[in-house]
Protein backbone atom coordinates (compact mmCIF):
# COMPACT_ATOMS: atom_id res chain seq x y z
CA UNK A 1 0.00 0.00 0.00
CA UNK A 2 1.48 3.35 -0.95
CA UNK A 3 1.87 6.22 1.48
CA UNK A 4 -1.09 8.15 0.10
CA UNK A 5 -3.52 5.26 0.43
CA UNK A 6 -2.28 4.53 3.92
CA UNK A 7 -2.69 8.13 5.00
CA UNK A 8 -6.15 8.34 3.53
CA UNK A 9 -7.17 5.20 5.36
CA UNK A 10 -5.82 6.60 8.62
CA UNK A 11 -7.80 9.77 8.03
CA UNK A 12 -11.00 7.86 7.35
CA UNK A 13 -10.50 5.63 10.38
CA UNK A 14 -9.75 8.52 12.67
CA UNK A 15 -12.79 10.46 11.50
CA UNK A 16 -14.95 7.38 11.99
CA UNK A 17 -13.49 6.91 15.46
CA UNK A 18 -14.26 10.50 16.43
CA UNK A 19 -17.83 10.10 15.21
CA UNK A 20 -18.30 6.76 16.94
CA UNK A 21 -16.96 7.99 20.27
CA UNK A 22 -19.20 11.04 20.08
CA UNK A 23 -16.46 13.63 19.90
CA UNK A 24 -17.98 14.83 16.66
CA UNK A 25 -21.48 14.69 15.26
CA UNK A 26 -23.17 15.25 11.87
CA UNK A 27 -22.44 18.95 11.93
CA UNK A 28 -18.74 18.27 11.38
CA UNK A 29 -19.67 16.41 8.23
CA UNK A 30 -21.77 19.42 7.19
CA UNK A 31 -18.65 21.57 7.48
CA UNK A 32 -16.66 19.13 5.38
CA UNK A 33 -19.30 19.46 2.67
CA UNK A 34 -18.52 23.17 2.54
CA UNK A 35 -14.88 22.55 1.73
CA UNK A 36 -13.85 22.42 -1.92
CA UNK A 37 -11.19 23.61 -4.35
CA UNK A 38 -12.30 27.21 -3.80
CA UNK A 39 -12.02 26.87 -0.06
CA UNK A 40 -9.62 23.96 0.55
CA UNK A 41 -8.80 24.85 4.16
CA UNK A 42 -12.25 25.84 5.26
CA UNK A 43 -12.69 23.30 8.04
CA UNK A 44 -9.23 23.89 9.48
CA UNK A 45 -9.84 27.65 9.39
CA UNK A 46 -13.16 27.44 11.19
CA UNK A 47 -11.76 25.06 13.76
CA UNK A 48 -8.80 27.37 14.32
CA UNK A 49 -11.19 30.23 15.04
CA UNK A 50 -13.08 27.86 17.32
CA UNK A 51 -9.89 27.04 19.27
CA UNK A 52 -9.09 30.73 19.85
CA UNK A 53 -12.66 31.48 20.79
CA UNK A 54 -12.88 28.48 23.14
CA UNK A 55 -9.72 29.29 25.04
CA UNK A 56 -10.95 32.81 25.60
CA UNK A 57 -14.31 31.57 26.83
CA UNK A 58 -12.81 28.94 29.13
CA UNK A 59 -10.59 31.61 30.68
CA UNK A 60 -13.57 33.89 31.12
CA UNK A 61 -15.50 31.12 32.84
CA UNK A 62 -12.61 30.35 35.17
CA UNK A 63 -12.19 34.00 36.09
CA UNK A 64 -15.89 34.47 36.65
CA UNK A 65 -16.00 31.46 38.99
CA UNK A 66 -13.04 32.79 40.97
CA UNK A 67 -14.79 36.00 41.95
CA UNK A 68 -15.72 36.53 45.60
CA UNK A 69 -19.31 36.96 44.53
CA UNK A 70 -19.92 34.77 41.53
CA UNK A 71 -22.13 36.23 38.83
CA UNK A 72 -23.76 33.04 37.56
CA UNK A 73 -25.54 34.87 34.77
CA UNK A 74 -22.18 35.98 33.46
CA UNK A 75 -20.79 32.44 33.69
CA UNK A 76 -23.89 31.19 31.91
CA UNK A 77 -23.43 33.73 29.13
CA UNK A 78 -19.93 32.41 28.46
CA UNK A 79 -21.13 28.81 28.55
CA UNK A 80 -23.99 29.66 26.20
CA UNK A 81 -21.52 31.08 23.70
CA UNK A 82 -19.30 28.04 24.01
CA UNK A 83 -22.29 25.78 23.52
CA UNK A 84 -23.17 27.67 20.36
CA UNK A 85 -19.76 27.52 18.77
CA UNK A 86 -19.16 23.89 19.70
CA UNK A 87 -22.53 22.99 18.18
CA UNK A 88 -21.58 24.88 15.02
CA UNK A 89 -18.49 22.76 14.43
CA UNK A 90 -20.06 19.50 15.57
CA UNK A 91 -18.16 19.14 18.84
CA UNK A 92 -20.84 17.02 20.47
CA UNK A 93 -19.19 16.06 23.77
CA UNK A 94 -18.18 19.63 24.48
CA UNK A 95 -21.63 20.86 23.55
CA UNK A 96 -23.36 18.37 25.84
CA UNK A 97 -21.11 19.35 28.73
CA UNK A 98 -22.08 22.96 28.13
CA UNK A 99 -25.72 22.01 28.42
CA UNK A 100 -25.00 20.35 31.76
CA UNK A 101 -22.94 23.34 32.84
CA UNK A 102 -25.81 25.71 32.14
CA UNK A 103 -28.05 23.71 34.45
CA UNK A 104 -25.53 24.20 37.25
CA UNK A 105 -25.38 27.90 36.50
CA UNK A 106 -29.12 28.14 36.74
CA UNK A 107 -29.03 26.26 40.05
CA UNK A 108 -26.24 28.64 41.11
CA UNK A 109 -24.21 25.75 42.44
CA UNK A 110 -20.60 26.87 42.61
CA UNK A 111 -19.17 23.43 43.40
CA UNK A 112 -20.94 21.80 40.44
CA UNK A 113 -19.94 24.64 38.15
CA UNK A 114 -16.27 24.33 39.08
CA UNK A 115 -16.40 20.57 38.60
CA UNK A 116 -18.12 21.01 35.26
CA UNK A 117 -15.58 23.56 34.12
CA UNK A 118 -12.77 21.10 34.84
CA UNK A 119 -14.56 18.41 32.81
CA UNK A 120 -15.08 20.92 30.03
CA UNK A 121 -11.44 21.97 29.99
CA UNK A 122 -10.44 18.31 29.80
CA UNK A 123 -12.86 17.42 27.01
CA UNK A 124 -11.88 20.49 25.07
CA UNK A 125 -8.16 19.65 25.24
CA UNK A 126 -8.83 16.07 24.14
CA UNK A 127 -10.90 17.32 21.21
CA UNK A 128 -8.22 19.82 20.28
CA UNK A 129 -5.59 17.08 20.17
CA UNK A 130 -7.82 14.81 18.11
CA UNK A 131 -8.63 17.51 15.56
CA UNK A 132 -5.03 18.69 15.32
CA UNK A 133 -4.04 15.10 14.56
CA UNK A 134 -6.72 14.94 11.86
CA UNK A 135 -5.49 18.16 10.25
CA UNK A 136 -1.88 16.94 10.36
CA UNK A 137 -2.99 13.85 8.44
CA UNK A 138 -4.67 16.11 5.89
CA UNK A 139 -1.50 18.11 5.45
CA UNK A 140 0.49 14.92 4.94
CA UNK A 141 -2.06 13.69 2.40
CA UNK A 142 -1.78 16.94 0.50
CA UNK A 143 2.01 16.80 0.61
CA UNK A 144 2.00 13.18 -0.60
CA UNK A 145 -0.24 14.15 -3.52
CA UNK A 146 2.12 16.80 -4.87
CA UNK B 1 -31.79 36.94 22.56
CA UNK B 2 -28.68 38.08 20.78
CA UNK B 3 -29.48 39.86 17.57
CA UNK B 4 -28.65 37.29 14.98
CA UNK B 5 -30.25 36.86 11.64
CA UNK B 6 -29.95 37.37 7.99
CA UNK B 7 -31.21 40.15 5.83
CA UNK B 8 -31.70 39.21 2.24
CA UNK B 9 -31.39 41.80 -0.43
CA UNK B 10 -31.62 41.28 -4.14
CA UNK B 11 -29.43 44.03 -5.55
CA UNK B 12 -25.78 44.66 -4.75
CA UNK B 13 -25.56 48.25 -3.54
CA UNK B 14 -22.78 49.53 -1.32
CA UNK B 15 -24.84 52.34 0.18
CA UNK B 16 -28.49 52.84 0.88
CA UNK B 17 -28.72 55.51 -1.84
CA UNK B 18 -27.75 52.94 -4.40
CA UNK B 19 -30.68 50.82 -3.31
CA UNK B 20 -33.06 53.50 -4.46
CA UNK B 21 -31.23 54.12 -7.72
CA UNK B 22 -30.68 50.51 -8.54
CA UNK B 23 -33.49 49.51 -10.83
CA UNK B 24 -31.71 46.54 -12.34
CA UNK B 25 -32.50 43.27 -10.64
CA UNK B 26 -29.57 40.97 -10.24
CA UNK B 27 -30.32 37.28 -9.96
CA UNK B 28 -27.77 36.99 -7.19
CA UNK B 29 -28.99 37.37 -3.65
CA UNK B 30 -26.99 39.65 -1.39
CA UNK B 31 -27.30 38.64 2.22
CA UNK B 32 -26.42 40.68 5.26
CA UNK B 33 -25.63 38.11 7.93
CA UNK B 34 -25.59 39.18 11.56
CA UNK B 35 -24.05 37.04 14.31
CA UNK B 36 -21.99 37.84 17.38
CA UNK B 37 -20.05 34.57 17.11
CA UNK B 38 -17.04 34.66 14.80
CA UNK B 39 -17.26 30.90 14.31
CA UNK B 40 -20.89 31.16 13.21
CA UNK B 41 -20.16 34.13 10.96
CA UNK B 42 -17.49 32.14 9.17
CA UNK B 43 -19.81 29.17 8.74
CA UNK B 44 -22.85 31.12 7.57
CA UNK B 45 -20.68 33.08 5.17
CA UNK B 46 -19.47 29.88 3.55
CA UNK B 47 -22.95 28.34 3.51
CA UNK B 48 -24.27 31.39 1.67
CA UNK B 49 -21.36 31.69 -0.76
CA UNK B 50 -21.68 28.04 -1.70
CA UNK B 51 -25.38 28.71 -2.33
CA UNK B 52 -24.44 31.46 -4.79
CA UNK B 53 -25.18 34.39 -2.55
CA UNK B 54 -23.10 37.46 -2.03
CA UNK B 55 -22.45 37.87 1.71
CA UNK B 56 -21.68 40.69 4.08
CA UNK B 57 -21.19 39.38 7.61
CA UNK B 58 -21.37 41.73 10.59
CA UNK B 59 -21.16 41.13 14.30
CA UNK B 60 -24.15 43.00 15.68
CA UNK B 61 -27.47 44.64 14.98
CA UNK B 62 -25.78 48.01 15.39
CA UNK B 63 -23.24 47.18 12.72
CA UNK B 64 -26.02 45.92 10.49
CA UNK B 65 -27.85 49.23 10.77
CA UNK B 66 -24.60 51.07 10.08
CA UNK B 67 -24.09 49.02 6.96
CA UNK B 68 -27.58 49.85 5.80
CA UNK B 69 -26.93 53.50 6.52
CA UNK B 70 -29.43 53.60 9.35
CA UNK B 71 -27.18 54.19 12.33
CA UNK B 72 -28.65 56.21 15.14
CA UNK B 73 -29.31 59.91 14.77
CA UNK B 74 -28.05 60.12 11.21
CA UNK B 75 -30.90 57.93 10.03
CA UNK B 76 -33.90 59.81 8.75
CA UNK B 77 -36.05 56.73 8.59
CA UNK B 78 -35.97 53.42 10.41
CA UNK B 79 -35.69 49.96 9.00
CA UNK B 80 -39.42 49.45 8.87
CA UNK B 81 -40.29 52.99 7.82
CA UNK B 82 -38.24 52.96 4.65
CA UNK B 83 -40.43 51.62 1.86
CA UNK B 84 -37.43 49.99 0.26
CA UNK B 85 -35.93 48.43 3.37
CA UNK B 86 -39.28 47.19 4.55
CA UNK B 87 -39.34 44.88 1.57
CA UNK B 88 -36.14 43.18 2.59
CA UNK B 89 -36.90 39.72 3.92
CA UNK B 90 -35.55 39.03 7.37
CA UNK B 91 -34.68 35.55 8.57
CA UNK B 92 -33.93 34.89 12.21
CA UNK B 93 -31.36 32.33 13.38
CA UNK B 94 -31.05 31.01 16.89
CA UNK B 95 -29.55 28.04 18.69
CA UNK B 96 -32.58 27.86 20.97
CA UNK B 97 -35.81 26.20 19.93
CA UNK B 98 -38.16 28.34 21.98
CA UNK B 99 -41.56 28.24 20.34
CA UNK B 100 -42.94 31.44 21.83
CA UNK B 101 -39.89 33.30 20.59
CA UNK B 102 -40.13 31.75 17.15
CA UNK B 103 -43.80 32.64 16.95
CA UNK B 104 -43.09 36.19 17.92
CA UNK B 105 -40.40 36.50 15.27
CA UNK B 106 -42.78 35.25 12.63
CA UNK B 107 -45.56 37.50 13.90
CA UNK B 108 -43.26 40.50 13.76
CA UNK B 109 -42.77 39.79 10.09
CA UNK B 110 -39.74 37.54 9.89
CA UNK B 111 -39.76 35.50 6.75
CA UNK B 112 -38.48 32.37 8.40
CA UNK B 113 -36.63 31.04 11.40
CA UNK B 114 -33.53 28.86 11.17
CA UNK B 115 -32.41 26.68 14.03
CA UNK B 116 -28.67 26.58 14.51
CA UNK B 117 -26.45 24.91 13.58
CA UNK B 118 -27.61 25.88 10.12
CA UNK B 119 -27.24 23.25 7.41
CA UNK B 120 -26.61 23.60 3.72
CA UNK B 121 -30.10 22.31 2.92
CA UNK B 122 -31.64 25.01 5.12
CA UNK B 123 -29.86 27.73 3.21
CA UNK B 124 -30.67 26.24 -0.20
CA UNK B 125 -34.33 25.87 0.68
CA UNK B 126 -34.49 29.41 1.97
CA UNK B 127 -32.72 30.90 -1.00
CA UNK B 128 -35.05 29.14 -3.42
CA UNK B 129 -38.05 30.37 -1.48
CA UNK B 130 -36.84 33.96 -1.37
CA UNK B 131 -35.93 33.94 -5.07
CA UNK B 132 -39.40 32.67 -5.97
CA UNK B 133 -40.96 35.60 -4.18
CA UNK B 134 -39.73 37.96 -6.86
CA UNK B 135 -41.43 36.12 -9.70
CA UNK B 136 -44.59 36.64 -11.73
CA UNK B 137 -46.86 36.38 -8.75
CA UNK B 138 -45.45 39.71 -7.64
CA UNK B 139 -44.24 38.38 -4.36
CA UNK B 140 -47.61 37.12 -3.25
CA UNK B 141 -45.96 34.03 -1.88
CA UNK B 142 -44.41 36.38 0.61
CA UNK B 143 -46.96 36.38 3.36
CA UNK B 144 -45.11 38.26 6.04
CA UNK B 145 -44.93 41.97 5.63
CA UNK B 146 -43.28 43.74 8.51
CA UNK B 147 -45.37 46.17 10.49
CA UNK B 148 -44.55 49.86 10.36
CA UNK B 149 -44.47 52.15 13.34
CA UNK B 150 -47.91 53.52 12.23
CA UNK B 151 -49.37 50.05 12.55
CA UNK B 152 -48.23 49.95 16.15
CA UNK B 153 -49.54 53.43 16.87
CA UNK B 154 -53.01 52.58 15.65
CA UNK B 155 -53.25 49.69 18.07
CA UNK B 156 -54.05 50.78 21.57
CA UNK B 157 -51.49 48.84 23.51
CA UNK B 158 -48.80 50.16 25.85
CA UNK B 159 -46.07 47.73 24.86
CA UNK B 160 -43.91 48.46 21.81
CA UNK B 161 -44.63 45.09 20.23
CA UNK B 162 -48.25 44.28 20.92
CA UNK B 163 -49.45 40.75 20.41
CA UNK B 164 -51.88 41.36 17.62
CA UNK B 165 -55.08 39.69 16.67
CA UNK B 166 -54.48 38.08 13.28
CA UNK B 167 -58.01 38.78 12.14
CA UNK B 168 -57.61 42.53 12.64
CA UNK B 169 -57.68 44.44 9.32
CA UNK B 170 -54.48 46.25 10.24
CA UNK B 171 -52.56 43.04 10.44
CA UNK B 172 -50.20 41.71 7.80
CA UNK B 173 -51.71 39.03 5.64
CA UNK B 174 -50.05 36.23 7.55
CA UNK B 175 -52.58 33.51 8.12
CA UNK B 176 -52.52 31.45 11.30
CA UNK B 177 -52.36 28.26 9.27
CA UNK B 178 -49.27 29.42 7.38
CA UNK B 179 -47.62 30.23 10.67
CA UNK B 180 -48.52 26.89 12.20
CA UNK B 181 -47.23 24.98 9.20
CA UNK B 182 -43.93 26.81 9.61
CA UNK B 183 -44.01 25.98 13.29
CA UNK B 184 -44.62 22.33 12.50
CA UNK B 185 -41.63 22.29 10.18
CA UNK B 186 -39.46 23.79 12.87
CA UNK B 187 -40.66 21.43 15.58
CA UNK B 188 -39.47 18.46 13.60
CA UNK B 189 -35.95 19.74 13.99
CA UNK B 190 -35.93 18.44 17.54
Amino acid sequence: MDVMTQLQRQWREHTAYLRKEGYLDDQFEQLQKLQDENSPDFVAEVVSIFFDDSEKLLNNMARALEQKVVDFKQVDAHVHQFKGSSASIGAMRVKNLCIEFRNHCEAQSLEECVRCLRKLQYEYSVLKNQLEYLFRLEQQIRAAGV
Amino acid sequence: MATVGEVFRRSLPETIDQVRDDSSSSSELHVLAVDDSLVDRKVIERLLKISSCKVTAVESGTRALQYLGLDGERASVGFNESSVLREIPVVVMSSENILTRIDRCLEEGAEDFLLKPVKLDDVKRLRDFIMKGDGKDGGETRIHKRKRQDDYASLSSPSPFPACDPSSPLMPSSSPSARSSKRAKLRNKD
Side-chain angles (χ1 to χ4, degrees):
Chain A
M1 209 188 293
D2 63 72
V3 173
M4 176 70 110
T5 314
Q6 231 176 339
L7 286 170
Q8 284 172 332
R9 194 177 79 167
Q10 268 179 282
W11 187 92
R12 269 196 313 273
E13 286 174 353
H14 191 64
T15 307
Y17 166 78
L18 293 177
R19 289 291 300 270
K20 180 163 169 280
E21 295 297 308
Y23 287 102
L24 299 174
D25 61 26
D26 282 342
Q27 184 60 20
F28 190 74
E29 207 176 304
Q30 282 288 315
L31 289 191
Q32 289 172 318
K33 275 195 200 156
L34 302 179
Q35 186 163 288
D36 60 20
E37 327 75 56
N38 296 324
S39 216
D41 299 308
F42 175 69
V43 183
E45 283 165 9
V46 179
V47 172
S48 167
I49 294 173
F50 170 73
F51 287 159
D52 288 342
D53 205 39
S54 303
E55 274 143 48
K56 229 179 283 172
L57 289 169
L58 286 168
N59 278 336
N60 290 343
M61 287 173 217
R63 269 205 308 276
L65 287 172
E66 281 162 16
Q67 300 306 305
K68 282 213 184 82
V69 182
V70 174
D71 182 351
F72 287 99
K73 276 209 165 78
Q74 183 64 267
V75 180
D76 183 67
H78 297 312
V79 181
H80 172 72
Q81 268 210 281
F82 198 18
K83 176 182 151 239
S85 56
S86 55
S88 291
I89 68 149
M92 194 167 81
R93 277 201 198 185
V94 169
K95 181 193 76 178
N96 287 340
L97 264 175
C98 287
I99 293 172
E100 189 192 315
F101 200 153
R102 293 194 78 190
N103 291 336
H104 298 314
C105 288
E106 197 177 322
Q108 307 210 346
S109 162
L110 183 58
E111 204 178 300
E112 292 299 324
C113 280
V114 171
R115 201 177 301 161
C116 217
L117 176 60
R118 285 208 198 103
K119 280 199 273 186
L120 196 53
Q121 283 163 332
Y122 173 73
E123 277 303 332
Y124 166 73
S125 65
V126 172
L127 176 71
K128 185 166 183 206
N129 283 335
Q130 301 284 22
L131 288 174
E132 282 175 339
Y133 172 63
L134 196 69
F135 294 137
R136 272 201 305 277
L137 279 176
E138 283 179 15
Q139 281 174 329
Q140 286 175 285
I141 289 170
R142 224 171 294 169
V146 172
Chain B
M1 170 167 78
T3 316
V4 295
E6 305 172 342
V7 179
F8 288 79
R9 188 197 284 169
R10 223 159 249 99
S11 48
L12 274 49
E14 287 311 306
T15 68
I16 205 59
D17 294 320
Q18 282 177 271
V19 177
R20 299 192 178 104
D21 296 339
D22 197 343
S23 50
S24 64
S25 58
S26 155
S27 58
E28 191 185 42
L29 224 47
H30 183 180
V31 181
L32 177 60
V34 186
D35 201 313
D36 56 6
S37 158
L38 183 52
V39 171
D40 289 352
R41 274 204 301 284
K42 179 103 184 166
V43 174
I44 198 71
E45 191 177 46
R46 185 82 195 124
L47 280 167
L48 289 165
K49 282 194 174 143
I50 263 200
S51 309
S52 314
C53 297
K54 180 173 175 193
V55 193
T56 302
V58 298
E59 65 184 8
S60 66
T62 309
R63 287 263 179 263
L65 292 176
Q66 280 171 359
Y67 178 80
L68 295 170
L70 297 171
D71 48 334
E73 303 85 52
R74 291 219 308 268
S76 52
V77 288
F79 188 66
N80 279 338
E81 277 65 55
S82 158
S83 53
V84 173
L85 297 180
R86 228 182 121 211
E87 293 301 314
I88 300 178
V90 175
V91 173
V92 179
M93 298 186 294
S94 175
S95 58
E96 297 182 303
N97 197 4
I98 298 173
L99 235 41
T100 47
R101 234 190 239 168
I102 296 171
D103 274 350
R104 187 174 138 179
C105 289
L106 298 177
E107 274 160 29
E108 294 296 331
E111 202 59 46
D112 207 339
F113 180 94
L114 294 181
L115 197 60
K116 287 159 112 184
V118 179
K119 297 181 167 52
L120 196 52
D121 284 348
D122 295 332
V123 176
K124 289 206 158 115
R125 173 183 60 82
L126 198 55
R127 188 210 50 196
D128 292 345
F129 175 72
I130 299 270
M131 294 295 261
K132 249 195 234 135
D134 215 29
K136 289 206 200 92
D137 62 0
E140 267 165 44
T141 46
R142 172 107 188 283
I143 51 178
H144 298 292
K145 211 171 165 127
R146 283 194 302 285
K147 297 194 276 280
R148 300 188 312 182
Q149 282 306 119
D150 314 11
D151 297 343
Y152 292 134
S154 39
L155 299 156
S156 51
S157 168
S159 64
F161 295 103
C164 304
D165 178 3
S167 59
S168 148
L170 294 166
M171 276 306 101
S173 49
S174 138
S175 66
S177 59
R179 272 209 303 283
S180 60
S181 71
K182 267 206 170 121
R183 243 190 270 132
K185 251 197 283 172
L186 296 165
R187 239 191 228 127
N188 291 334
K189 279 208 162 198
D190 275 338

